[in-house]
Amino acid sequence: MGLFHYVACGLPNVWLENGYTEGVASDGTPIFHIENIEGLHKAIAFSLFEKEALLTGDEFRFLRGEIKLTRKALSGVIGYSEEAIRKW
């Protein structure tokens, strides 16, 4: 089993070495199953928190989605306008 390019999280640079299984659907389409999606997303989020560089827009959206905050709710928490957050 090689590396699996996991794009369902919305990030272009996540490659899995393990923690997934692969198979083939009845129509021949490859299928993949992530064994612990919640744990995977938590690990991705922690790695983004520890990142020294600025977050990309995709990374910011991923984190906002993981903590389940709308732009409006996040704007109230961090003191920036919804418009500013939308541009990020």
Side-chain angles (χ1 to χ4, degrees):
M1 191 164 33
L3 295 177
F4 172 61
H5 190 194
Y6 177 62
V7 294
C9 63
L11 299 173
N13 57 349
V14 177
W15 293 84
L16 304 181
E17 194 172 296
N18 54 41
Y20 70 95
T21 55
E22 54 185 310
V24 179
S26 59
D27 65 357
T29 305
I31 55 173
F32 298 89
H33 172 73
I34 307 298
E35 294 170 10
N36 181 358
I37 196 92
E38 188 176 308
L40 172 60
H41 281 216
K42 187 180 279 189
I44 293 169
F46 279 121
S47 72
L48 292 176
F49 282 127
E50 293 175 348
K51 182 180 166 183
E52 292 188 20
L54 295 175
L55 294 174
T56 67
D58 288 339
E59 292 167 340
F60 188 78
R61 275 186 294 283
F62 173 82
L63 289 174
R64 189 169 62 81
E66 285 302 299
I67 59 175
K68 297 179 179 30
L69 280 180
T70 62
R71 283 193 288 259
K72 182 175 184 172
L74 183 59
S75 71
V77 171
I78 64 174
Y80 283 86
S81 70
E82 281 184 68
E83 180 68 18
I85 292 170
R86 185 186 63 75
K87 290 179 181 178
W88 295 345

